[in-house]
């Protein structure tokens, strides 16, 4: 079979670096990040979009990248856990996770952190969730629990995760303003 | 570690804790025992750079895949690997006939073939392993192997295992313990009976099994895996490779979650065999489905109880029959059964007890060590009985429990005297005295808190609140004569210290504790914990929180030896005893202030090393009547669960769990609270949702939708009412392991609360909606 039918050229901007790749059309973004770009921060927990360990930000929105084909991300801006800190300082969510000790084994943590960054942005933009009441901007632990419920943590560090995300809310908004 | 620099395949393995220095060593950092010292590996975990086995890479590596049986019970009539070998990119296929050493392995009993060759005994049993140049090629090749089966009727009901033809040359009975304690003819004024079932909880770590095997030039092999008992794993795999154990090295990587034993031995052996055969590094990352099929589960258990009491509610006799489904192979079923039988009556004084326990082989998925094994299942049953007895006597369930609680000096039904602190009554009082959370009724903003959510709930009027209580106990170390020992080395040079110990930090915080111990004893802020591999002396398994005691004890002794070496010359010079000197913040001072120097100056450029062992008081096996001093340490907890049940839909929301725990001594307040919260969440999972279902031995929907785990929404508020710090004089620092007790007690507390809300018996875990529905009049 003509291999050109099975592969595509894709341009991705990952953590600020442009990558031009020729990939099997069936590659998921998670495999591309982990196997082709050596970015192993995003984890494969289930490969079925059930656990959230692979959460990254695509054009600022959080996604389970095990369910996303890389060819569908052509031209996208992708931020993984490795791209959240700028080399000098950590992202406010990462700092909050450290301050609250919001993990045990750490395997789900990159996904939790990326998911929290995305969730806080959704909240700051006033996007409602299933538990949002009225028209006030969503906030508080109940909102955070709901929005973080797609990220499993078997060590069940949830109480500290929810506290950490709450702590980071204000500073995460500033981070978004600084980041184009 | 990734990237081409890993060509020599010595990936950095951080499992004993990162070698990264602490974030900052300024005076604000908490230090020493009793302080909330943060884990040293936290930064790497938050940045996604903490390496797990699935993240490792080596130049020229091959990818492995396992072929697993689709049948729970079948005779294999033919295996043809030729179609797999014919696929381009396939380097090697191994089956049972390629195992050069021991054909059988197992954690306690060697009863499990590396690869099934004649008989398949459970769904998912490995039959062959493939190495290829791409993970998909490896999987396709495994699927291309032709296996012809003669499908046999599976034995899936453990009660049928007694009469069924033997499924294994060792027979179907793994162990039988008939515990006899007291007078069998005694009868109480009041008798209650109950039948309880506990389902198959899976450890379900988010990080599935993974590993990298690298052949060594000397014909040996190195395995990079998330082992929780690296020396035991090394000995087991080396025997199957037919290699001296010195030629196999297990290097422990980051452990991506460990509620049970890691790592699946069948996977480790397959990886090593493929690396040895091909002479190339081989990597395997299990799929989620394989993870459910490959590792051991909590024992599904059937429990039949009869409690006798007098009219005042004092327990007279407990009779029980406990049947553990070991699945196809024995694994650690013997330990789980001993715990189940010994703790069958719970933390209560029982003058007479007659308990029959069995662990049997079936064609179900194998069971093994999962946090709180044996103790959790019986807790659900004896606490169910206490609720039932209270109802029959017309007593408050709390008063009934209080009347019977165990204390130090009481006898367990194994005739072992409880010598450690056992403040059971105080724990129960502590949870009882906590205020109850308010009802969400009539508050629009809280409506969504009703079970099923704002849209999912039927009629809010159908929601009933229930409050339930449970007490429980668990052991902390290896039991029945297991040689509990750990060895640790401490080194100091200039102003930093290093701990070298093969105790694996699974995220439970041992590396943090080791740093705290050395900070405390040697007064230095900067303490590194070395990575773990089997070139270090053994420390034993990371299970039951035993490293706090055994490895913590070894680290403390080694640190004290270093301290003596450091201080003795100074003490001699100043004509005072070592005891009159103190070390803090890197400074050595004498009681009178005459001597004041720094640790670095006292060392004078030298390095000091010391190695020490900790071997707690030995235990003995239970005898033919289930009697003996089989346990060293016991830990207790009391819980109160508050639930809201939609009695039309049978949905349950756990509103709050209040905990009082017997911890001996708080060594790290933040870490301790996190362990308790985690244990409660895992217990709530067991109570409400976690059950790996099988249909005639075939695992159903092995994924996170078929097997849901508690999410941030399902995990209740955890209120810690009291941590009782009665030091256990025989334990290191007087501390008791904290992680397992909450898992043991929480399911029983939730069941008790649902019982209170619905008036239904709730004799099955996890609680299914149909068990929590109340017929409407």
């Amino acid at each position: 079979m003509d291999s050109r039918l099975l592969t595509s050229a894709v341009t991705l901007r990952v953590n600020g670096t442009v990558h031009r790749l020729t990939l099997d059309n069936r590659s998921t973004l998670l495999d591309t990040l982990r196997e082709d770009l050596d970015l192993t921060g995003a984890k494969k927990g289930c490969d079925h979009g059930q656990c959230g360990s692979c959460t990254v930000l695509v054009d600022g929105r959080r996604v389970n990248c095990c369910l996303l084909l890389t060819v569908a991300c052509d031209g996208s801006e992708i931020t993984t856990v490795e791209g959240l800190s700028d080399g000098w300082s950590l992202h406010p969510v990462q700092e909050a996770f450290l301050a609250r000790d919001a993990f045990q084994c750490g395997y789900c943590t990159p996904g939790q952190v990326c998911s929290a960054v995305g969730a806080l942005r959704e909240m700051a933009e006033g996007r409602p969730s299933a538990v949002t009441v009225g028209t006030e901007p969503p906030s508080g632990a109940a909102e955070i629990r709901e929005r973080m419920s797609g990220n499993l943590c078997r060590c069940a560090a949830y109480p500290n995760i929810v506290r950490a995300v709450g702590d980071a809310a204000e500073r995460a908004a500033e981070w978004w303003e600084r980041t184009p | 570690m990734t990237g081409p620099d890993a060509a020599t395949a010595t990936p950095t393995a951080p499992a004993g804790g990162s070698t990264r220095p602490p974030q900052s060593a300024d005076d604000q950092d908490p230090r020493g025992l009793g302080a909330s010292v943060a884990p040293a590996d936290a930064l790497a975990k938050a940045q996604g750079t903490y390496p797990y086995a699935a993240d490792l890479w080596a130049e020229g590596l091959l990818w492995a895949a396992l072929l697993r049986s689709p049948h729970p019970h079948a005779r294999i009539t033919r295996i043809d690997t030729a179609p797999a070998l014919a696929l381009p990119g396939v380097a090697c296929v191994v089956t049972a006939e390629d195992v050069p050493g021991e054909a059988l392995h197992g954690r306690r009993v060697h009863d499990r073939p590396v690869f099934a060759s004649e008989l398949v005994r459970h769904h998912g049993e490995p039959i062959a392993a493939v190495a290829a140049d791409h993970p998909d090629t490896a999987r396709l090749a495994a699927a291309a192997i032709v296996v012809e089966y003669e499908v046999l009727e599976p034995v899936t009901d453990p009660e049928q295992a007694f009469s069924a033809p033997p499924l294994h040359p060792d027979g179907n009975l793994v162990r039988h313990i008939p515990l006899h304690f007291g007078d069998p003819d005694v009868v109480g004024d009041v008798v209650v009976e109950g039948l309880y079932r506990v389902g198959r909880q899976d450890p379900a770590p988010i990080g599935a099994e993974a590993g990298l095997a690298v052949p060594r030039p000397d014909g040996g092999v190195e395995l990079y895996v998330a082992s929780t008992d690296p020396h035991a794993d090394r000995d087991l795999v080396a025997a199957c490779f037919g290699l001296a154990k010195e030629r196999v090295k297990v290097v422990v990587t980051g452990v991506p979650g460990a509620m049970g034993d890691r790592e699946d031995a069948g996977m480790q052996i397959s990886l090593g065999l493929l690396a040895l055969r091909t002479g190339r590094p081989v990597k395997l990352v299990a799929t989620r489905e394989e993870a459910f099929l490959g590792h051991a589960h909590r024992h599904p258990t059937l429990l039949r109880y009869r409690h006798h009491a007098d009219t005042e509610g004092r327990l007279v006799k407990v009779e029980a029959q406990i049947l553990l489904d070991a699945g196809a192979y024995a694994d650690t079923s013997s330990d789980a059964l001993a715990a189940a039988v010994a703790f069958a009556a719970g933390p209560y004084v029982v003058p007479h007890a007659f308990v029959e326990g069995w662990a049997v082989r079936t064609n179900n998925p194998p069971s093994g060590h999962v946090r709180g094994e044996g103790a959790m299942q019986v807790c659900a049953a004896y606490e169910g009985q206490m609720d039932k007895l209270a109802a029959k006597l017309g007593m408050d369930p709390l008063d009934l429990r209080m009347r019977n609680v165990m204390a130090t000096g009481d006898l367990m039904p194994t005739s072992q005297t409880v010598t450690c602190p056992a403040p059971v009554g105080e724990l129960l009082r502590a949870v009882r005295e906590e205020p109850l959370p308010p009802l969400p009724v009539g508050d629009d903003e809280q409506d969504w808190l009703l079970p099923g959510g704002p849209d999912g709930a039927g009629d809010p009027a159908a929601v009933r609140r229930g409050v339930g209580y449970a007490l429980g106990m668990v052991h902390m170390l290896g039991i029945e004569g297991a040689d509990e020992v750990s060895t640790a080395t401490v080194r100091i040079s200039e102003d930093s210290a290093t701990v070298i110990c093969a105790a694996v930090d699974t995220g439970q915080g041992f590396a943090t504790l080791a740093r705290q111990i050395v900070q405390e004893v040697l007064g230095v802020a900067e303490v590194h914990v070395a990575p773990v591999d089997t070139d270090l002396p053994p420390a034993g398994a990371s299970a039951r929180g035993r490293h706090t005691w055994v490895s913590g004890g070894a680290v403390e002794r080694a640190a004290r030896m270093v301290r003596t070496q450091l201080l003795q010359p100074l003490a001699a010079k100043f004509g005072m005893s070592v005891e009159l000197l103190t070390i803090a913040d890197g400074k050595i001072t004498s009681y009178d202030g005459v001597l004041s120097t720094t640790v670095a100056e006292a060392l004078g450029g030298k390095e000091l090393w010391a190695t020490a062992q900790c071997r707690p008081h030995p235990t003995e096996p239970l005898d033919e009547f289930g009697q003996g001093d089989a346990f060293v340490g016991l830990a207790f907890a009391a819980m109160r669960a508050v639930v809201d049940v939609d009695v039309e839909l049978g949905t349950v929301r756990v509103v709050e769990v209040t905990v009082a725990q017997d911890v001996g001594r708080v060594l790290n307040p933040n870490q301790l609270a996190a362990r308790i919260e985690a244990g409660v969440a895992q217990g709530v999972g067991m109570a409400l949702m976690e059950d790996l279902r099988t249909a005639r031995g075939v695992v159903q929907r092995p994924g996170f939708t078929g097997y849901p785990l508690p999410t941030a929404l399902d995990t209740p508020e955890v209120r810690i009412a009291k941590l009782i710090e009665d030091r256990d004089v025989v334990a290191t620092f007087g501390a008791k392991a904290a992680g397992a007790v909450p898992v043991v007690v929480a399911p029983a507390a939730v069941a008790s609360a649902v019982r209170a809300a619905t008036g239904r018996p709730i004799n099955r875990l996890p609680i299914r909606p149909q068990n929590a529905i109340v017929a409407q009049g």
Side-chain angles (χ1 to χ4, degrees), chain B residues 77-91:
Chain B
T77 53
R78 189 171 78 98
I79 301 177
D80 182 6
T81 58
L85 286 164
L87 285 176
V90 173

Side-chain angles (χ1 to χ4, degrees), chain B residues 193-211:
Chain B
E193 294 187 354
L195 182 66
Y196 302 86
R197 284 177 194 278
V198 177
R200 183 181 289 109
Q201 190 175 31
D202 190 277
I206 306 298
E209 285 69 16

Side-chain angles (χ1 to χ4, degrees), chain B residues 405-449:
Chain B
V405 290
M406 171 186 278
T408 306
D410 285 328
L411 279 185
M412 285 166 49
T414 54
S415 296
Q416 177 167 355
T417 306
V418 177
T419 51
C420 66
V424 186
E426 195 182 344
L427 294 169
L428 189 56
R429 271 191 294 277
V431 293
R432 176 165 66 180
E433 284 162 10
E434 283 294 306
L436 283 161
L439 287 159
V441 175
D443 180 348
D444 281 351
E445 297 211 359
Q446 299 281 305
D447 268 355
W448 70 274
L449 290 171

Side-chain angles (χ1 to χ4, degrees), chain B residues 379-584:
Chain B
C379 183
Y382 60 69
E383 288 300 87
Q385 287 291 96
M386 294 306 271
D387 281 350
K388 209 170 210 177
L389 191 57
K392 185 143 184 181
L393 285 160
M395 278 179 76
D396 178 345
L398 272 174
D399 293 340
L400 174 73
R401 286 177 169 86
M402 200 59 91
R403 187 153 295 177
N404 291 286
V405 290
M406 171 186 278
T408 306
D410 285 328
L411 279 185
M412 285 166 49
T414 54
S415 296
Q416 177 167 355
T417 306
V418 177
T419 51
C420 66
V424 186
E426 195 182 344
L427 294 169
L428 189 56
R429 271 191 294 277
V431 293
R432 176 165 66 180
E433 284 162 10
E434 283 294 306
L436 283 161
L439 287 159
V441 175
D443 180 348
D444 281 351
E445 297 211 359
Q446 299 281 305
D447 268 355
W448 70 274
L449 290 171
L450 297 171
D455 305 318
D459 181 2
V463 175
R464 289 193 203 157
R465 174 152 291 191
V467 180
Y469 294 84
L471 289 171
M473 65 195 293
V474 73
H475 59 293
M476 290 185 280
L477 297 179
I479 61 173
E480 292 196 276
D483 181 24
E484 275 293 11
V485 61
S486 179
T487 305
T489 298
V490 172
R491 180 194 74 116
I492 188 168
S493 66
E494 294 186 36
D495 51 3
S496 76
T498 306
V499 178
I500 301 165
C501 177
V504 176
D505 190 335
T506 60
Q508 92 282 40
F510 175 73
T512 309
L513 176 63
R515 285 169 50 227
Q516 292 179 259
I517 294 167
V518 175
Q519 286 170 346
E520 179 92 5
V521 176
L522 294 177
V524 289
E526 193 176 324
V527 183
H528 307 279
V529 179
V532 175
D533 64 49
T534 50
D535 288 347
L536 307 180
S542 276
R544 300 168 208 92
R546 60 178 284 285
H547 280 318
T548 300
W549 183 329
V550 186
S551 297
V555 171
E556 193 209 15
R557 282 176 199 189
R560 291 206 176 280
M561 287 160 69
V562 167
R563 187 179 194 275
T564 304
Q565 290 176 45
L566 176 68
L567 298 184
Q568 209 136 45
L570 284 174
K573 191 167 148 190
F574 285 82
M576 58 178 73
S577 74
V578 168
E579 287 70 34
L580 298 176
L581 300 175
T582 55
I583 320 181

Side-chain angles (χ1 to χ4, degrees), chain A residues 26-66:
Chain A
R26 298 164 295 184
S27 304
T28 63
L29 180 59
L30 178 60
D31 282 340
T32 301
L33 292 171
R34 290 181 56 85
E35 307 303 335
D36 299 310
L37 301 179
D38 276 348
L39 292 168
T40 55
K43 302 299 180 197
K44 190 180 279 190
C46 67
D47 215 19
H48 284 63
Q50 297 161 346
C51 74
S53 301
C54 65
T55 307
V56 299
L57 300 160
V58 175
D59 296 326
R61 301 284 171 217
R62 54 189 173 145
V63 294
N64 286 330
C65 71
C66 71

Side-chain angles (χ1 to χ4, degrees), chain A residues 34 43 101 104-105 154 158, chain B residues 45 52 55 671 690 710:
Chain A
R34 290 181 56 85
K43 302 299 180 197
D101 194 16
Q104 284 190 37
C105 84
R154 181 45 150 174
Y158 296 126
Chain B
K45 285 177 174 173
Y52 304 90
D55 302 333
Q671 299 277 313
E690 293 186 40

